[in-house]
Amino acid sequence: MFEWFGISSAGTQMIIIFFLLMALRLPVAFALGLSALYAMWQIGFGLELAGDLIATGITKFSLLAIPFFILAGTLMGSLGIAERMIRFFRVAVGGLPGGMGVVGTVVCLFWGAVSGSGPASVAAIGPMIIKGMEEDGYDRAFAAGLVCTGAAFSIVIPPSIGLVIYGVIAETSISRLFIAAIIPGIFMALSMVAVLPFARRRAVPSTGSPSLSALMPEPYAGEPRRRKLWLSFRDSFWGLMTPVVILGGIYSGIFTPTEAALVATVYALAVGALAYRTLTLRKLYDALGTAAASSAVVMLIVAYASLFGWVVTVDDLVRSYSGALLGLSQNEWVILLVIMVILLVAGMFMDPVTVMFIALPIFLPVAREMGWDPVWFGVLVMVNLAIGLITPPVGINLYVAANVTRMKIEQVARGTMPFLLASLLGIAVVAAVPSMSQILVDWLR
């Protein structure tokens, strides 16, 4: 059939079949695997090779960080750490202009450093943040949009599962990627805060549902503000220390990013069992089940993507496609703009892990040819893919937010529009100012 259209390359046929299967709503992992198996058959390799390639693709030490970071984030959500953090930040910054909008942004940023997963962050903290913003006069759709956007940038804030996968694909230091992503992540959060003054807020919010105080009661609600700040800080201290322990251990060289994932899991268990005493066998069982299911989804994509990547290499698609990209222009900014647009569009239809496994083998040789720093390029890729999480029609965070708020996907998407525009301006700055990503790496070297 493909010969009718003059398409003889098995790799190109594979990519076409992949998108056709995606259009038929086949799960991403199976679309990757089936299209790759077809290409292997076309090339003439025995399908028995597939098992070895899959095993080779997932037996990488760095990938162990994925299930353990997911488990750590799940435990911290179920053991009351998110709730205590929201209480503290609500007291600390809730009185600033923007109120719960600022609280929501700060908590999303902070929680991203704990969970490392955008959809997981929406599910864990979304209901409480949205409820608080509603009480503060914000429109429900706008509140959902803020949570979607803030949680999306959790794949930028270290420790990030996305950065781990990028480091594996690009064979780049994951520790350096974590360091480089800090300032751009904070900058993107500030771009969200800049949207808040333009939001319409009701003078006297009215809602028939339970208040945030009822859903999340404060044991020190009647105390003076200074004492309330101290009590909320003391109550949330061990949770607030989580990113300090994880990132401090990585940057000081005590443990690697992969080992940090296991440390984060043990730390969450210790805090739940000893500090907060919220750990029960039932909660542990539920957290293990949730984390196993979430990890299986990611690792299945990684496994089948290894087949996809093998075909891309064997059929020499990297050289032909990257050569075509380099032939578009002699201006590196034009090529960078094309890459960013492709990533943004791809992010509308596919999850970040899939996009990276398909696009990076083609884009990384271009980045090397242009002389771009792979660490800066990795941060830029993550910001692009984060924006994809909130971009219709299939931004994953939009669907999670619609599910937890019982709103239509169109309403949530409308609420994200102001933040999407601010994010696009923010990514332009991150791209134009590479030193934003490199300054901490150079300082800590």
Side-chain angles (χ1 to χ4, degrees), residues 70-420:
I70 291 176
L71 177 57
T74 304
L75 286 169
M76 291 172 187
S78 63
L79 298 180
I81 294 176
E83 182 178 318
R84 288 172 170 82
M85 285 168 50
I86 293 175
R87 285 178 186 164
F88 169 69
F89 287 121
R90 195 181 187 197
V91 174
V93 300
L96 297 176
M100 275 300 297
V102 178
V103 174
T105 304
V106 173
V107 171
C108 285
L109 185 73
F110 204 88
W111 190 253
V114 173
S115 73
S117 169
S121 297
V122 175
I125 63 177
M128 290 178 280
I129 294 296
I130 292 169
K131 171 59 62 181
M133 289 185 66
E134 275 192 287
E135 290 184 8
D136 209 20
Y138 287 101
D139 178 73
R140 186 172 178 81
F142 183 86
L146 180 139
V147 171
C148 279
T149 309
F153 288 115
S154 66
I155 71 169
V156 180
I157 301 296
S160 158
I161 294 171
L163 288 173
V164 171
I165 293 176
Y166 175 89
V168 171
I169 297 173
E171 298 180 351
T172 301
S173 167
I174 296 174
S175 298
R176 292 184 65 208
L177 286 167
F178 281 1
I179 298 170
I182 294 175
I183 294 179
I186 294 173
F187 177 77
M188 297 305 294
L190 292 176
S191 71
M192 290 173 54
V193 173
V195 173
L196 297 178
F198 301 98
R200 293 183 179 181
R201 296 171 65 183
R202 299 185 302 273
V204 182
S206 58
T207 175
S209 54
S211 68
L212 179 63
S213 298
L215 292 174
M216 195 176 63
E218 295 181 8
Y220 35 78
E223 300 288 345
R225 187 180 184 281
R226 285 189 178 181
R227 179 164 174 77
K228 187 187 293 187
L229 182 63
W230 160 247
L231 291 174
S232 63
F233 172 75
R234 186 185 65 182
D235 195 30
S236 62
F237 174 77
W238 294 109
L240 295 173
M241 285 296 292
T242 305
V244 177
V245 171
I246 297 172
L247 300 179
I250 294 172
Y251 303 153
S252 62
I254 298 175
F255 40 74
T256 67
T258 305
E259 294 164 345
L262 181 58
V263 170
T265 301
V266 174
Y267 181 81
L269 289 170
V271 169
L274 304 177
Y276 296 154
R277 299 183 184 278
T278 53
L279 179 64
T280 63
L281 287 177
R282 183 65 194 180
K283 287 182 178 180
L284 178 59
Y285 178 81
D286 290 342
L288 288 170
T290 301
S294 300
S295 300
V297 172
V298 177
M299 296 307 294
L300 197 60
I301 293 174
V302 172
Y304 287 129
S306 62
L307 291 181
F308 200 95
W310 181 85
V311 174
V312 167
T313 302
V314 169
D315 205 41
D316 206 18
L317 290 186
V318 173
R319 184 179 61 82
S320 56
Y321 283 17
S322 60
L325 187 57
L326 288 168
L328 289 175
S329 173
Q330 298 297 317
N331 189 320
E332 64 174 331
W333 292 106
V334 172
I335 294 176
L336 181 61
L337 178 61
V338 171
I339 290 175
M340 290 172 63
V341 170
I342 292 173
L343 288 172
L344 284 172
V345 173
M348 297 180 191
F349 301 95
M350 292 179 284
D351 64 277
V353 175
T354 306
V355 175
M356 281 192 287
F357 274 104
I358 293 176
L360 287 181
I362 296 171
F363 292 158
L364 285 170
V366 176
R368 296 188 188 102
E369 183 70 23
M370 292 288 104
W372 297 335
D373 179 9
V375 172
W376 164 77
F377 185 67
V379 173
L380 192 60
V381 167
M382 285 304 108
V383 177
N384 268 273
L385 297 179
I387 296 174
L389 288 172
I390 61 169
T391 306
V394 284
I396 298 174
N397 282 14
L398 300 180
Y399 285 90
V400 178
N403 182 53
V404 300
T405 59
R406 301 293 186 267
M407 295 172 64
K408 293 182 179 178
I409 186 71
E410 294 83 1
Q411 293 175 296
V412 178
R414 188 168 60 249
T416 62
M417 284 301 110
F419 301 104
L420 180 58

